[in-house]
Amino acid sequence: MTKVSEEIEIDPKLKRYLHALSSVCLTQKRLAYYLAIHDYHRLRDMFLRDRLHHRWDTNDAAKTQERLSWLLNHGRRSEFDQHRHRLTALSAANRVNYIESLKKGDIETARQLVVYTNMIRLPHAGIAAFDYAWSLIICKVGADQSYLPKAEALDRMLEIAKHIQFAYSSWEEFFYAYACGNQYDEAGSSKNTSKETEAHILKLLTGKYSPIHEFEWKFDMTPYLPAPQVENQPSFSN
C-alpha cells in the first residue's frame, strides 16, 4: 500500500479497481454509466454523497461510523440469511405452502418473497455484495468529508475488496447478488430502484468502456495491502 501521509495518495490502478467495485451503487438515469466509466470527479462525488446521505443517513462522523459498522458486521445479509435458512429447511412443497400463507402487502412478506425467488441461484455469501458495495461508498465519501480518517478508510476498503473477491467468483455473480440485495432492502418501499439497478448492471457488463473490463475478477491486491496487524481490523460475517 502507498505510504500514508496527511494526504493519502492511492495508486491509480487500485483506485480504479475500487471505483469499479462500487460503481454498481450508481442508479441515476442516463448518468449512471457516465459516472461509472469516469474516475472520482466532482460530479460523481456529488451524486454519490447525496444518494448515500438520503439512503443511509450518514450526515456526520458518528452516523457514518455507526452505519459502516452495521453494514460490515450485520447488514441486510444477516436478515436475508435467516429467511434463507428457514426456507432451506423446508421441502419444495412446504416452501410454496409457507410463502402462500404469508400476509400480503407486508414488508416482511415482500422480503421473504425476494429470498424465495433468488435463494437457489445465489452463492453461499448471499446478498453480502449489497452490504460490501455500500460500505465502499461510505468509506470513500466518509474520507472525503473527514468523517473517517483517510488511512482507516483506505485500509477498510482494501479489506472489503478482499472479502468481495473471496465471496464471489465473477463480476456477474457479484452484480447479481447486489441486485438481489437491493431488491431485498427496498422490498415494500414506494421508492424502488430495481429496474434502474438492473439496467445499470447490464450496461456495466456489456458497455464497451465499463470499468470492470479493465480488471480480472481476482485482481491482485497484494502490492497494496498493509502488513498484517492484530488490532483494529474490521470484522465481517456472511
Side-chain angles (χ1 to χ4, degrees), residues 82-92 94-96 98-99 112-113 115-117 119:
Q82 289 178 10
H83 294 311
R84 190 183 192 182
H85 294 155
R86 185 181 302 119
L87 290 172
T88 300
L90 300 175
S91 66
N94 285 337
R95 280 180 213 158
V96 173
Y98 174 73
I99 292 297
Q112 292 200 57
L113 284 171
V115 178
Y116 175 72
T117 303
M119 57 184 286

Side-chain angles (χ1 to χ4, degrees), residues 74-90 98 108 111-112 115 119 124 126-127 184 238:
H74 301 287
R76 288 299 181 207
R77 65 190 181 281
S78 292
E79 306 163 19
F80 184 96
D81 288 344
Q82 289 178 10
H83 294 311
R84 190 183 192 182
H85 294 155
R86 185 181 302 119
L87 290 172
T88 300
L90 300 175
Y98 174 73
E108 187 72 5
R111 285 183 170 165
Q112 292 200 57
V115 178
M119 57 184 286
H124 177 73
I127 62 168
Y184 180 87
N238 288 332

Side-chain angles (χ1 to χ4, degrees), residues 5-8 16 28 31 35 50 58 73 86 93 103 106-107 132 144 177 206 209 222:
S5 62
E6 285 297 316
E7 291 298 324
I8 303 297
R16 184 67 172 168
Q28 288 78 10
L31 275 176
L35 296 173
D50 291 347
T58 54
N73 293 293
R86 185 181 302 119
K103 181 180 178 181
D106 180 275
I107 291 180
Y132 292 164
D144 288 345
T206 62
Y209 301 106
T222 305

Side-chain angles (χ1 to χ4, degrees), residues 14-27:
L14 173 63
K15 183 177 181 181
R16 184 67 172 168
Y17 177 64
L18 296 173
H19 170 101
L21 287 172
S22 61
S23 288
V24 69
C25 297
L26 295 164
T27 56

